[in-house]
Amino acid sequence: MSPSPEPMRIVRAKDGHVEVDGAFDAFAGHILLRASFLSVPSLDGRSIRLPLGMGRSWENEQATWAAQMLATARYPVRLDPSLDTRLAPPARLSGPARPPAMATQARPT
């Protein structure tokens, strides 16, 4: 099973709560549950968000942790910079870095 190429987005909505936008599979859903996100009914079906009233610093920490776990599991994820608690947030899409392609193979020693 390969993750969706469309990145998930973890953002703070206009009403102040932290939510996840984008498609995800069951495994990504379990990762989000592990990071304290809730699956709640909405007009569009179901939405994934953090519990309300836990404080902005806690929400930021949980959102950063969720983004790190998703990236470690090779899911493309974008974290809203206002939620990122790391010292130097990445300026690009998170995910595993791929080594550059080699034109020739190194000789065995």
Side-chain angles (χ1 to χ4, degrees):
M1 174 171 49
S2 67
S4 168
E6 182 66 29
M8 287 177 267
R9 293 169 305 283
I10 302 176
V11 297
R12 185 174 302 278
K14 291 179 183 178
D15 59 2
H17 65 270
V18 177
E19 63 185 13
V20 178
D21 293 331
F24 55 89
D25 59 16
F27 184 65
H30 287 295
I31 291 172
L32 292 166
L33 288 174
R34 176 74 175 147
S36 302
F37 280 79
L38 304 172
S39 176
V40 295
S42 69
L43 295 175
D44 298 332
R46 301 205 63 80
S47 70
I48 304 293
R49 65 169 174 79
L50 284 174
L52 302 174
M54 300 302 287
R56 284 190 179 262
S57 64
W58 182 86
E59 291 171 346
N60 294 351
E61 290 171 8
Q62 296 306 113
T64 301
W65 185 38
Q68 290 172 331
M69 287 192 294
L70 288 165
T72 300
R74 299 184 158 274
Y75 286 94
V77 60
R78 289 191 189 270
L79 179 62
D80 185 342
S82 68
L83 297 171
D84 202 337
T85 60
R86 294 173 292 180
L87 295 176
R92 62 175 184 81
L93 180 67
S94 66
R98 293 191 174 147
M102 294 178 62
T104 60
Q105 186 174 4
R107 291 184 181 183
T109 55

